[in-house]
Amino acid sequence: MDDDGTRGVRGSSADRVPGPALPPPPTTPPRVPAPPAGPRPAATPVEQRPTRPGSASPAGQPVPGAPVDAWLRTPRPPQEPGVWRYGYTPPPPEEPEGVSNRSLLVGALISLLSALLLWSLWRNGYLPYRLVPLKLFTPGEWWNPGTSGGPRTIEGSDALTVYEAILFGLLAYGCGRIGNFSELFRRHVADRGQPFLALAAAAAAGLTQLLVWKEALPVVRPVLVLVASVAGGEIYQSQTVVNVIYAVIAAAVLYPFARLGRWRELIAARRGTAAPAPDGTAAAPAAATSADQWPELRTAGWIDAADTLTAEVRTGRMNDVDVARLRHAWALATRRPDRLAPLAEAVLRTGGAAALHPSGHRDLPRRGARHDVLTGQVRIGRCADDPHNPYVRRGTGLALEPALLGTSLLAVGPPGAGKTARLIRPVVEALALRALAGQAAVLAVGGAGAPLGPDDAFDVVVRLGHPGSAHDIDLYGGTTDPDEAAAVLAEGLVGDVGSLDSRRAATVLAQLLGPYRAAHGHFPSVPELRELLDGTPAALTGLRTSLEAAGHHAMLRELDARSRQAGGPGDPAPALADRVALLDRPAFTGFFATGPDARPFSLRALGQHPLRVRVDLPERGHAEASRLLTRLLLAQFTAITAARTDTTLFACLVLDDATHAVTAETVRGIRRLRSVNAGAVLALRTVDDVPETLHTPLLGAVGCTAAFSGITTWDGKRFAEAWGKEWVETREVAQHTVFADQPFTRALHALRKLVTGKAVTTDAVTVRQVERERWSASELAYAVPAGHAVIRLATVEGEHAPPLLVHLDG
């Protein structure tokens, strides 16, 4: 492992960027695999909805065979918090709840049979007064006497032919409306798409043409009669005119089926010509923008640099991380005009390798989740098609990004629920990619062996208690202020002890750290701090002698105050010494070193450099020490990020297990993170891993919460209270028995009860608006399927999304 030439010395100071945890990668830039032979593929759509058309495509980064320029041009429209934006297409408007397929088919069949019966009765003369409307508008000499008398002349026969055709059209129209044939056609034919739609329309057109020319449908004769009445009967002496009329009839019968079957669009698609989409949506999202042309460089006048990057993208010599890194570097350079020229020269000289990450890496060794590095999103799952989810979110991808993580995230679920594999690791991976783009710094803390990513995906890997670790952790957070170091260290050591005031503990530590630093120029190591807290006479006498020799009278007063308070009632020194003793173990020998030769890694570097840091804790052999260190790292992170002045770099702490790590002070620190462009991701097995007094403050401090399947009803109750209530419409149905008064009606009711076994009842429906919890405690405990989680998201700007049931596939 490369330790940047400092063999035998762990870590790095805050003012220096640590070397990579492994040797740097080859100098050859990563290449996107060449597309296969054949036509060039278009940009991959984002995601297919499982039930309704919506957002498209599963890939959020360039996949093998997809050029980076197409990925770069794919639109990413602004959406609600958590929506996977890459190539997103909004779903169609929500349709009202319709009838079932069975009811639809039965209704259509009954309507058709009724129309056929009515038409048969008409044609066979069984309907009385059927010719009365026609006789009212035609001369009387055309008809035989009586209401049922038929035509007497040829003119009457022709009028009856046209009259029957008009009635048949009205009957067909009424049958179609009553039987809801349009919905039947849309559901079972049109929704299947092409070519089934075109083939079904062609089959229906052929059958209709056959019925028309066999005169089963009154179309041909009425048309011929109307033409003869307008142009005269002599027009049929020309065979050409007759053929034209027949062709017009055939075309008129065929035209509606051509419209229904969308034959024109199908033919245009087969020929390769562009046909307008039926719903007016864009057909080629990848060509909607010209982002691959680097317009921001061209606008600034750096045409050569833009041309160089365009060529790099189109030839596959750049990946998505290179694009995001150079865009960010250019955005930073525009704020400092003196940096524009050096950046443009670096682009002309090295192309996509300009403005590299200090590690020299241009991508992670492997990715396990789907990322869109351009927006910083990582897709962790898909919103389920569940009534709890709004219609517009059902089937869409759910993604996390810095705008959401900036409000901090709390994930609660039992072991095996998938917190680490499906949430924590994708988030760490996304932040590591963002760090390679120069936009973030990430600190991932977990137990030894936790699947947070391979070693070569991080710049600094700290293995506490492992003799081969090349880095160490600074217990004092890299500060030189004794009071600041004491406050943070006290929070880490005894912040979870409810009966002990952390402010008094910080005072005790400050009374020892200040004098020791004044005498030796650095803070004490773990064994020395333990001796001072235990009040060992030799350690205190030696410290006093050093202070007297250097003339630090103010620090002597601090040490005297500590001596007077030692052993008094409520003295926190013994508790502090007991906690420090957890770190003064043989397994940690050589760790937590101080002094001029020691250079431990300081979390202060996270606020200055885009670092990727992973800390492995010895949870198996030293569980209590691991919890202490987790609590200390959380306290250091909240204190350091809140004090930094440059907040352009997003800093994020990810705790794979935050058991007993949350204290009252760190909850207040988590609230401040969103204002300094930082966030924390905390994973818990249960909310009871946090002191009961902090349950409500913690859920109120984080903006994003995730309840995994398998949580208890007690945890579900806390989430239900935090997520609030909403107004819903309820329907209450009350059944009342019908009592008949008439003998015949009572007999019918008795017969019905004998056949069905149930009394005759009527339903009384009451509809009202009530306020209910978005998710109840019982639903969170028992209705969330395995592999799912209910996630509520919020952004630092104040936007929020309701709790969504998500199928996690991260």
Side-chain angles (χ1 to χ4, degrees), residues 687-719:
V687 181
D688 289 331
D689 290 339
V690 177
E692 186 175 359
T693 56
L694 297 179
H695 290 171
T696 300
L698 177 60
L699 289 172
V702 297
C704 304
T705 49
F708 283 71
S709 61
I711 65 172
T712 63
T713 52
W714 291 274
D715 288 342
K717 180 181 179 181
R718 298 183 181 98
F719 280 109

Side-chain angles (χ1 to χ4, degrees), residues 9 31 54 112 156 159 231 301 339 397 405 415 420 423 462 469 485 516 549 638 657 694 776:
V9 181
R31 295 177 179 272
L112 179 62
R339 296 183 180 180
L405 299 178
T420 300
L423 180 64
V462 181
S469 177
Y516 191 94
T638 55
D657 184 5
L694 297 179
S776 68

Side-chain angles (χ1 to χ4, degrees), residues 148-372:
S148 302
R152 186 194 310 180
T153 63
I154 297 177
E155 290 82 359
S157 298
D158 293 342
L160 180 60
T161 300
V162 176
Y163 178 60
E164 288 183 345
I166 294 175
L167 291 180
F168 179 82
L170 295 176
L171 180 63
Y173 176 77
C175 172
R177 290 298 301 272
I178 295 174
N180 206 359
F181 278 87
S182 59
E183 177 65 15
L184 186 67
F185 174 80
R186 185 193 65 80
R187 232 184 246 190
H188 297 282
V189 180
D191 284 353
R192 293 194 178 187
Q194 301 287 11
F196 181 83
L197 176 60
L199 293 177
L207 178 62
T208 305
Q209 291 279 12
L210 179 63
L211 295 177
V212 166
W213 297 110
K214 290 291 185 180
E215 296 191 0
L217 300 179
V219 176
V220 178
R221 289 180 60 84
V223 171
L224 296 177
V225 168
L226 289 175
V227 172
S229 62
V230 173
E234 296 82 3
I235 193 174
Y236 295 121
Q237 295 180 0
S238 173
Q239 186 62 36
T240 303
V241 173
V242 174
N243 294 337
V244 170
I245 294 175
Y246 285 166
V248 171
I249 294 175
V253 172
L254 197 62
Y255 179 73
F257 296 98
R259 289 291 302 274
L260 290 175
R262 301 175 185 172
W263 295 351
R264 181 180 178 184
E265 299 170 12
L266 180 62
I267 294 173
R270 295 294 184 183
R271 291 179 178 179
T273 59
D279 54 356
T281 57
T289 67
S290 58
D292 61 325
Q293 299 289 331
W294 299 86
E296 59 272 18
L297 274 71
R298 299 182 186 276
T299 303
W302 300 96
I303 307 299
D304 293 340
D307 291 339
T308 300
L309 293 180
T310 300
E312 291 270 307
V313 168
R314 293 187 175 179
T315 55
R317 292 196 295 268
M318 287 179 64
N319 59 13
D320 53 347
V321 179
D322 294 330
V323 173
R325 186 186 69 252
L326 289 173
R327 279 175 168 249
H328 178 67
W330 184 263
L332 293 179
T334 53
R335 304 175 188 174
R336 298 278 301 273
D338 57 314
R339 296 183 180 180
L340 289 175
L343 178 60
E345 293 174 1
V347 169
L348 292 174
R349 184 174 62 258
T350 60
L356 269 182
H357 185 265
S359 67
H361 295 181
R362 297 173 64 177
D363 201 353
L364 296 179
R366 58 182 175 272
R367 305 184 188 183
R370 305 177 216 178
H371 302 272
D372 184 17

Side-chain angles (χ1 to χ4, degrees), residues 742-777:
Q742 302 298 325
F744 181 72
T745 306
R746 286 200 297 270
L748 289 179
H749 288 185
L751 178 62
R752 179 176 175 179
K753 184 175 181 180
L754 181 65
V755 173
T756 62
K758 298 180 181 180
V760 179
T761 60
T762 59
D763 294 340
V765 181
T766 303
V767 180
R768 60 178 179 173
Q769 295 282 335
V770 297
E771 192 177 22
R772 288 184 178 176
E773 294 174 331
R774 298 178 185 273
W775 282 84
S776 68

Side-chain angles (χ1 to χ4, degrees), residues 618-637:
E619 289 184 345
R620 294 184 179 179
H622 304 273
E624 195 62 32
S626 297
R627 294 174 181 175
L628 186 154
L629 291 170
T630 302
R631 192 163 52 249
L632 178 61
L633 291 173
L634 178 57
Q636 286 186 1
F637 181 82

